[in-house]
Amino acid sequence: MTTETVGQALVTRLKSRGVDCVFGIPGVHTVELYRGLADSGIRHVTPRHEQGAGFMADGYARACGRPGVAFVITGPGLTNTLTAMAQARADSVPMLVVSGVNASATLGLQHGHLHELPDQHALARTVALTSQHVARPAELDDALTAAFAPFAIGRPGPTHVQIPLDVAGAAADAGATTAESCTPPPPDPELIARAASQLAQADRVVILAGGGAKNASAELRALAEHLDAPVVQTVNARGLMHGHALSVPASPSLKAVRALIEDADCVLALGTELGPTDYDMYATGQKAAMRNLIRIDICPHQLARHPAALTIPGQAQAAAAALRSALPAQPRETGGATRAETTRAAAFEEIGPAYRRQVEVLNAMRDAVPDALMVGDSTQPIYAGNLYYDHDRPGGWFNAATGYGALGYGIPAAIGAAIAAPDSPVICITGDGGAQFSLPEVMAAVDENLPVTFVIWNNRGYGEIASAMEEVEVPVVGCDPTPPDFAATARSFGIAHVRVPQEPEAIATALTRARALNAPSFLEIDIPATAPGQE
């Protein structure tokens, strides 16, 4: 009878917890983790860089809600993944990174072993919600339990488990192969009653919905309609109220949206950290004043970071449903739809003509390919959409242009999303500069035959940064890296390529044709260097 190793037991335990895909690049320090992978039924996807593995795990998790998992080697494998882990931490994305580490007897000695770090465990703890070191085979199950716990009952984010080389190949202890089920506790009924009373007495309620509410679309709509309250959606909440009269799919950093919030006599913040990349992206040092603020968040620590009239720890979906039930039976009529309509019009005008043109492109893309996952990098149409854009699918608009703001996110994250949601169209929107951070990852889409359309906004440089430098009269330096010939690059990848101007109708037509290919492809949007708003 063959004895199961710790590496094989790890794979078994991951599968029992619902893991069906692992992103990773095998190396001599993770060989033992791969021993049981081939026969496990878990899909393995090979990125071209460990940062790509992390971003793929992030996109996977955002698309399906389950944690994305990455296997990386000791030392450079982990350090390459830290950027992706930090992005996941900023956006509360569930991700598990499993890494090797040098043999137990060598740790901390700094003798110069291959891939050695002074203290890899300590380094991981600076970014991960929890980092577990498996010192003995018997510790594997406890380490996995600790790593998966934040995904079920708290604010999610990246977690880390490291297994020394000698432990990974050692005989595993017999342990539980199924995970204990964990569910978050329901919100406190007394706090819900107090919040309902406060909301019922208000005349101009405004709801702020964040990424923590993206699974509460139906409950949020019912609550908003009952209160007749406009709903302002942060970047990660777009799609929750698509096309609704009470929807304000615009950044709370805009003056028009701030005015709406400050006019409210009660503000309900649901699943939003009130962070500056959403609420003060222009770095003014101020956010909209929020009278009688009620905050609901899954994380008690998050609730303690901003003063509020009332805080309620709890899951957004359950809390919104409980609030609706606790309110008086008669719906309110407070002119909410008019307030929302006025704010939408003012916000769209406020973003300026260049960004309005880009939002029109986004609208055309959305209408050409309904119910798509639009995954973005830090590029001008994404900045425009983050300021104002109404997506048609909850959780279907996400990017790295807020929070941690890692460039190079879009391509690998879109690949992860396509694997998690194979029946959904996936559109990646990246600039020519950001694409060059992770362009080789497109070959992973080719390997996996993923029909992702990679939309490349080619303004031949870092256009947004150049504009920012010009605004403060700093000489523009370093913002014009020469892009590759994307048509030739596409040929080398063996995928289709089409180039179109920045015209909504042409882009929509090209996108529809690209989708019909059912294969990865490039759609390059050619932006002349002297185009208005692009100087």
Side-chain angles (χ1 to χ4, degrees):
M1 180 177 179
T2 304
T3 302
E4 187 179 46
T5 66
V6 170
Q8 289 172 308
L10 167 72
V11 172
T12 302
R13 307 296 196 269
L14 290 177
K15 186 172 183 179
S16 73
R17 286 171 165 80
V19 174
D20 61 6
C21 184
V22 167
F23 304 92
I25 302 174
V28 294
H29 283 191
T30 53
V31 167
E32 287 297 334
L33 304 187
Y34 281 80
R35 186 179 294 278
L37 199 60
D39 297 327
S40 68
I42 294 177
R43 183 177 186 175
H44 183 271
V45 175
T46 306
R48 274 34 179 186
H49 189 279
E50 289 92 355
Q51 180 174 280
F55 284 148
M56 288 179 191
D58 177 301
Y60 173 97
R62 296 199 205 209
C64 69
R66 300 188 302 276
V69 179
F71 279 7
V72 300
I73 64 166
T74 309
L78 180 67
T79 55
N80 285 341
T81 313
L82 285 174
T83 294
M85 294 172 68
Q87 184 71 51
R89 177 77 180 250
D91 287 343
S92 303
V93 177
M95 175 197 298
L96 170 61
V97 175
V98 180
S99 75
V101 72
N102 293 89
S104 302
T106 71
L107 297 180
L109 299 181
Q110 299 188 51
H111 284 171
H113 289 276
L114 180 66
H115 302 329
E116 185 178 56
L117 283 167
D119 190 341
Q120 180 174 290
H121 192 203
L123 179 62
R125 285 200 300 265
T126 64
V127 177
L129 295 177
T130 176
S131 177
Q132 304 297 316
H133 177 78
V134 181
R136 297 178 297 111
E139 296 177 3
L140 176 64
D141 283 310
D142 287 344
L144 289 175
T145 297
F148 274 81
F151 307 151
I153 57 174
R155 185 185 183 195
T159 63
H160 171 244
V161 173
Q162 68 175 23
I163 305 176
L165 294 175
D166 52 313
V167 176
D173 280 17
T177 58
T178 57
E180 296 181 5
S181 60
C182 297
T183 56
D188 186 324
E190 182 178 342
L191 294 176
I192 289 292
R194 287 174 56 190
S197 175
Q198 184 173 319
L199 290 165
Q201 295 176 43
D203 292 321
R204 296 182 308 283
V205 175
V206 168
I207 299 174
L208 308 178
K214 69 179 184 180
N215 294 322
S217 180
E219 292 80 4
L220 175 63
R221 284 173 178 249
L223 179 62
E225 289 169 354
H226 199 77
L227 292 169
D228 197 23
V231 180
V232 177
Q233 299 130 69
T234 67
V235 170
N236 287 326
R238 300 294 172 80
L240 283 172
M241 299 282 291
H242 176 63
H244 198 287
L246 292 170
S247 177
V248 181
S251 170
S253 292
L254 293 171
K255 292 178 182 178
V257 183
R258 286 187 172 192
L260 173 73
I261 296 169
E262 292 185 343
D263 180 63
D265 56 0
C266 183
V267 176
L268 173 62
L270 190 64
T272 173
E273 67 175 358
L274 303 178
T277 56
D278 274 311
Y279 291 83
D280 186 25
M281 68 169 57
Y282 297 113
T284 64
Q286 296 181 333
K287 300 176 185 175
M290 302 177 189
R291 285 188 286 170
N292 298 315
L293 174 61
I294 301 170
R295 290 197 68 199
I296 298 173
D297 199 278
I298 195 68
C299 177
H301 301 295
Q302 180 57 241
L303 291 174
R305 290 174 185 146
H306 297 280
L310 180 62
T311 59
I312 305 176
Q315 188 184 47
Q317 187 175 24
L323 272 177
R324 168 63 187 85
S325 297
L327 287 167
Q330 185 64 32
R332 304 294 304 277
E333 292 184 10
T334 64
T338 300
R339 286 185 288 145
E341 182 180 17
T342 300
T343 303
R344 288 194 301 270
F348 190 63
E349 180 66 23
E350 184 181 337
I351 65 175
Y355 273 0
R356 286 198 295 271
R357 283 194 296 273
Q358 292 169 24
V359 172
E360 289 168 0
V361 168
L362 295 173
N363 290 340
M365 294 170 68
R366 176 200 62 207
D367 296 343
V369 187
D371 203 34
L373 295 168
M374 283 196 186
V375 185
D377 221 321
S378 294
T379 190
Q380 288 180 328
I382 295 298
Y383 292 132
N386 284 351
L387 283 175
Y388 190 106
Y389 172 65
D390 188 14
H391 198 53
D392 63 352
R393 170 179 179 155
W397 169 267
F398 60 88
N399 55 77
T402 62
Y404 194 61
L407 198 56
Y409 171 88
I411 290 174
I415 291 169
I419 289 170
D423 296 328
S424 298
V426 177
I427 301 169
C428 171
I429 304 174
T430 182
D432 58 291
Q436 292 181 75
F437 274 57
S438 52
L439 195 56
E441 301 298 354
V442 172
M443 286 305 298
V446 174
D447 288 346
E448 302 296 324
N449 193 31
L450 302 173
V452 179
T453 305
F454 297 98
V455 178
I456 301 172
W457 187 267
N458 190 357
N459 60 7
R460 297 164 184 81
Y462 300 132
E464 194 71 15
I465 304 303
S467 297
M469 296 174 79
E470 289 172 347
E471 285 176 8
V472 294
E473 299 181 348
V474 171
V476 177
V477 176
C479 293
D480 56 353
T482 302
D485 182 333
F486 287 106
T489 303
R491 286 195 299 273
S492 74
F493 288 167
I495 65 176
H497 168 276
V498 64
R499 183 186 291 114
V500 297
Q502 186 192 349
E503 298 294 338
E505 185 175 342
I507 293 168
T509 299
L511 198 59
T512 301
R513 291 173 178 169
R515 178 62 184 164
L517 296 174
N518 200 33
S521 64
F522 278 177
L523 169 54
E524 182 181 356
I525 300 178
D526 190 27
I527 311 297
T530 57
Q534 306 292 341
E535 294 90 337

